[in-house]
Amino acid sequence: MKVKEQLLTLNAYVPGKTSEEVKKEYGLDKIVKLASNENPYGCSPTVLEAITKIPTFAIYPDGAASELREYVAKHLGVEENQLIFSSGLDELIQMISRAILAPGSNTVMAQNTFPQYRHHAVIENAEVREVPLKAGCHDLNEMQNRMDENTKIVWICNPNNPTGTYVNKEELERFLANISKQVLVVLDEAYYEYVTAQDYPQTIPLLDQFENLLILRTFSKAYGLAAFRIGYGIGSASLIKQLEVARLPFNTSALAQTAGIAALHDPEFVEESIIRNANELEKYYRFFDENNISYYPSQGNFVFVNIPGKTPQEVFQYLLEKGWIVRAFPNGVRITIGTEQENDELIKLLEKIT
């Protein structure tokens, strides 16, 4: 039996080594994982309390996520029929690709961005057009130049993962105004809550003007619910209705829906996480500046750096053997912003190889 030919060009997602595997391999007592951009402060205590009150696990969850839908709609100031829920944003990216892409179509994205956009386009046998980042940022002008009558989706990760850079309000609105309304523009705002830039676009008001806009957000990052897998999309009611056809029944669990509702009841937890993240980022910036280390100022809960004289893989391996797990890319290393103590200890380790 053979799978689709294009699948042979892809690799399945391979998660990094577990903490226990690293401990055993290097004879370590402590592991600090700063590779997946999780919230180092966990989640709100209200979440832990809420999930213990679920009366039964023997029945299917609410397939429409009705109660969570109501809370998220009020939180965002949108209509309930403008929302679609998913098991993390990975599943929503899969839904979008499955619903819209096909052989003969193409999709445009940045070259160094979240890899699932490309992955699912290849599965659907669509052409992938990748545009190099410009100074670490999306080059919207060149992305527009790469579009044609067969372009179905443009992906903009904002802030971008892994660089932490962002497309500002003026750039985005100009881009949206100048492209075909037949092209779906997907704005992946997984790190939206962490953004501090004053000119970052507030995109929900743009939905009234651009029906070809779809915004993705998640509870995995700032809300600290990565283990529950709960994300959502915001768009026009007509677009959401069409995408719902590609959604699997009961795709979000009762645990995830309950956790999401509880998390929305504790905005103070998220606000505190954001403040801590911004303060710790500044600490990294000071260290990088003092040691002439190249980095991108970040609007996420991570920072992308290059250590002089060391390859990303060398930095990754050095830290791994000390019990610190970060993420290496061909052109740099992405470090999740941890707790104050974790960041202080990691900076001391980086001092030894700079």
Side-chain angles (χ1 to χ4, degrees):
M1 182 178 291
K2 293 183 67 175
V3 298
K4 293 178 182 178
E5 210 169 295
Q6 62 267 30
L7 267 67
L8 302 177
T9 68
L10 298 171
N11 294 314
Y13 178 77
V14 179
K17 292 181 179 181
T18 66
S19 296
E20 290 307 312
E21 287 175 324
V22 176
K23 280 183 181 180
K24 185 176 180 180
E25 184 172 353
Y26 296 104
L28 300 167
D29 296 322
K30 183 181 87 169
I31 300 296
V32 180
K33 185 170 175 277
L34 299 177
S36 300
N37 303 340
E38 295 133 333
N39 189 330
Y41 308 108
C43 65
S44 167
T46 63
V47 171
L48 305 178
E49 181 182 355
I51 61 175
T52 63
K53 296 180 180 179
I54 296 176
T56 179
F57 298 113
I59 61 174
Y60 288 109
D62 174 10
S66 303
E67 189 176 4
L68 177 61
R69 181 182 300 274
E70 179 183 352
Y71 276 100
V72 172
K74 288 179 180 178
H75 175 68
L76 299 177
V78 300
E79 298 298 323
E80 292 183 23
N81 61 2
Q82 289 184 265
L83 297 169
I84 185 169
F85 291 89
S86 59
S87 178
L89 291 188
D90 301 274
E91 189 201 23
L92 188 47
I93 292 164
Q94 181 187 49
M95 283 188 226
I96 296 163
S97 302
R98 186 180 185 188
I100 296 173
L101 297 177
S105 67
N106 69 70
T107 178
V108 177
M109 64 194 69
Q111 195 170 63
N112 191 16
T113 192
F114 191 55
Q116 289 299 303
Y117 313 146
R118 182 184 187 281
H119 187 88
H120 288 289
V122 172
I123 291 175
E124 301 304 327
N125 210 11
E127 179 191 354
V128 178
R129 298 183 178 181
E130 295 177 295
V131 176
L133 296 176
K134 188 175 182 180
C137 301
H138 281 71
D139 186 348
L140 294 189
N141 289 333
E142 186 56 29
M143 291 175 76
Q144 183 178 343
N145 291 339
R146 296 295 304 277
M147 295 166 59
D148 61 22
E149 66 276 7
N150 295 317
T151 302
K152 299 300 181 183
I153 305 175
V154 174
W155 302 89
I156 302 174
C157 190
N158 201 36
N160 186 44
N161 179 11
T163 58
T165 54
Y166 71 104
V167 172
N168 67 33
K169 180 178 185 292
E170 181 181 350
E171 293 169 329
L172 178 63
E173 292 185 3
R174 182 170 60 244
F175 178 77
L176 291 170
N178 289 333
I179 66 167
S180 168
K181 299 299 183 288
Q182 301 306 309
V183 177
L184 178 65
V185 179
V186 181
L187 286 174
D188 185 342
E189 297 183 345
Y191 301 93
Y192 169 81
E193 288 82 6
Y194 286 109
V195 172
T196 58
Q198 294 300 306
D199 58 348
Y200 181 84
Q202 294 304 315
T203 50
I204 289 177
L206 296 176
L207 293 171
D208 292 334
Q209 187 178 353
F210 301 102
E211 288 197 356
N212 60 325
L213 181 62
L214 182 65
I215 303 162
L216 311 188
R217 293 191 185 169
T218 183
F219 285 96
S220 293
K221 305 304 180 182
Y223 289 94
L225 303 184
F228 289 98
R229 312 307 298 126
I230 184 76
Y232 58 95
I234 318 148
S236 69
S238 59
L239 172 61
I240 296 299
K241 184 177 181 180
Q242 294 175 76
L243 290 178
E244 285 281 1
V245 177
R247 182 179 63 80
L248 292 175
F250 311 115
N251 64 322
T252 61
S253 71
L255 281 166
Q257 293 176 32
T258 300
I261 293 167
L264 288 174
H265 278 97
D266 189 6
E268 290 81 11
F269 171 82
V270 176
E271 290 167 8
E272 183 64 25
S273 295
I274 294 165
I275 292 169
R276 289 181 174 184
N277 181 74
N279 290 340
E280 293 303 301
L281 266 173
E282 289 297 328
K283 182 186 298 180
Y284 274 106
Y285 297 160
R286 288 193 297 271
F287 169 71
F288 296 150
D289 290 338
E290 290 167 1
N291 291 275
N292 296 314
I293 295 173
S294 175
Y295 68 96
Y296 292 120
S298 176
Q299 295 298 317
N301 65 334
F302 55 89
V303 64
F304 193 79
V305 301
N306 275 288
I307 305 298
K310 301 290 182 182
T311 67
Q313 189 58 39
E314 286 172 337
V315 176
F316 168 82
Q317 189 62 35
Y318 162 76
L319 292 174
L320 184 66
E321 293 176 11
K322 305 291 185 184
W324 296 76
I325 306 174
V326 296
R327 180 74 183 271
F329 292 81
N331 58 336
V333 174
R334 189 188 68 197
I335 302 171
T336 302
I337 307 304
T339 64
E340 180 178 1
Q341 181 179 344
E342 289 169 347
N343 298 325
D344 288 344
E345 291 180 21
L346 183 58
I347 285 172
K348 289 178 180 178
L349 287 174
L350 292 175
E351 282 178 339
K352 296 178 180 178
I353 58 169
T354 55

